[in-house]
Amino acid sequence: MSRRQTPQRREAILDLLAARGEVAVETLARHFETSSVTIRKDLATLEGAGHLIRRHGGATLVPREGDQGRHRVSPVKQALARAASERIADHARLIIDSGSTTSALIPTLAHRTGMVVMTNSLGVAGALQALDNPPALLMTGGTWDPHSASFQGQVAETVLRAYDFDQLFIGADGIDLARGTTTFNELTGLSQVMAEVAREVVVMAESDKIGRRIPNLELGWAHIDVLITDDGLDDTSRQQIRDQGVVLICVSTQAP
């Protein structure tokens, strides 16, 4: 695109972020038929304006309280959240990891009673407290990581190990059919501790993340009990995931 078209491209990047919650530099470069250097400049400018948070290899959207337009949760994430909420019982003790996909789960908890929720995300904590019937809230504390917009580190891991939980709900930057969930973030220790202290680990991820080649392994298949994704997943991939001993739930994204 020419310099005149740069504002339109940046607007389109925000539209993609609104739909997906996160995007990779290489994906944007292919989509806009431009270089990764140009995309990184776009992301830096948009981050400076407060529209997104850059992560290694991509960017995530900054949630904005009361914004009903660009920052709506995508229909796919809403469908995943509805399926995830069906696995939650009253009085459950949950961990909800940071991320736009897991955040979509929060409105579904409004009518649950006796809930206890721990999170490492200020955004998740704020959304939980905004519910009419908020759960008991626990925070991991720890060291703030601007790339993942969450608390990480040994303090957070120590706090988590002091509790036990019924379920962990966690997203993924990518899913390797041979290895498990993958991430751009090199800080994977807290995710692994979260999985250790939860009796059921539920991964929520759109089907377009499955097969992404991302170097950092977050959770191996042996640590994942359930994967909730959409019906865009092909039959071969479905079987490969089931072969790992994982309960696979593919939700319809078609309007009823």
Side-chain angles (χ1 to χ4, degrees), residues 18 22 42 50 53 57 81 89 99 105 121 133 135 142 166 192 209 212 218 231 245:
E22 55 207 344
D42 289 338
I53 298 171
L105 181 63
S121 165
N133 181 33
D166 297 304
Q192 292 160 5
K209 293 184 178 180
R212 281 188 183 179
E218 188 166 27
D231 54 7

Side-chain angles (χ1 to χ4, degrees), residues 188-215:
T188 59
L190 188 65
S191 298
Q192 292 160 5
V193 173
M194 287 178 174
E196 289 173 13
V197 300
R199 283 184 281 276
E200 181 178 74
V201 176
V202 181
V203 174
M204 303 166 60
E206 297 99 322
S207 62
D208 63 1
K209 293 184 178 180
I210 296 172
R212 281 188 183 179
R213 300 184 66 182
I214 300 173

Side-chain angles (χ1 to χ4, degrees), residues 127-208:
L128 287 168
Q129 289 300 103
L131 294 175
D132 291 336
N133 181 33
L137 176 64
L138 303 172
M139 294 293 298
T140 64
T143 302
W144 180 254
D145 172 39
H147 295 292
S148 62
S150 64
F151 290 102
Q152 303 284 339
Q154 292 185 353
V155 170
E157 293 172 18
T158 299
V159 170
L160 270 166
R161 287 195 171 105
Y163 298 86
D164 66 280
F165 296 89
D166 297 304
Q167 292 160 304
L168 161 65
F169 292 91
I170 188 169
D173 292 327
I175 295 180
D176 186 318
L177 290 169
R179 298 189 298 158
T181 64
T182 57
T183 179
F184 292 113
N185 192 354
E186 295 181 356
L187 301 175
T188 59
L190 188 65
S191 298
Q192 292 160 5
V193 173
M194 287 178 174
E196 289 173 13
V197 300
R199 283 184 281 276
E200 181 178 74
V201 176
V202 181
V203 174
M204 303 166 60
E206 297 99 322
S207 62
D208 63 1

Side-chain angles (χ1 to χ4, degrees), residues 24-203:
V25 169
E26 59 184 29
T27 301
L28 293 173
R30 286 195 302 268
H31 182 82
F32 294 107
E33 298 181 344
T34 188
S35 70
S36 58
V37 172
T38 296
I39 294 298
R40 288 190 180 95
K41 289 179 180 178
D42 289 338
L43 297 182
T45 298
L46 292 168
E47 183 180 49
H51 294 305
L52 56 80
I53 298 171
R54 283 187 294 168
R55 302 177 63 178
H56 179 67
T60 60
L61 200 63
V62 175
R64 297 182 184 278
E65 183 178 357
D67 192 338
Q68 300 298 317
R70 177 191 310 283
H71 304 286
R72 291 178 301 175
V73 177
S74 73
V76 173
K77 294 182 191 295
Q78 291 176 353
L80 301 187
R82 286 192 295 270
S85 69
E86 293 176 0
R87 304 187 66 85
I88 300 173
D90 288 343
H91 305 286
R93 297 166 61 87
L94 311 179
I95 307 171
I96 300 180
D97 191 23
S98 60
S100 58
T101 305
T102 49
S103 295
L105 181 63
I106 295 168
T108 72
L109 304 180
H111 303 294
R112 300 291 185 186
T113 59
M115 305 284 292
V116 176
V117 180
M118 177 171 275
T119 185
N120 61 335
S121 165
L122 292 177
V124 169
L128 287 168
Q129 289 300 103
L131 294 175
D132 291 336
N133 181 33
L137 176 64
L138 303 172
M139 294 293 298
T140 64
T143 302
W144 180 254
D145 172 39
H147 295 292
S148 62
S150 64
F151 290 102
Q152 303 284 339
Q154 292 185 353
V155 170
E157 293 172 18
T158 299
V159 170
L160 270 166
R161 287 195 171 105
Y163 298 86
D164 66 280
F165 296 89
D166 297 304
Q167 292 160 304
L168 161 65
F169 292 91
I170 188 169
D173 292 327
I175 295 180
D176 186 318
L177 290 169
R179 298 189 298 158
T181 64
T182 57
T183 179
F184 292 113
N185 192 354
E186 295 181 356
L187 301 175
T188 59
L190 188 65
S191 298
Q192 292 160 5
V193 173
M194 287 178 174
E196 289 173 13
V197 300
R199 283 184 281 276
E200 181 178 74
V201 176
V202 181
V203 174

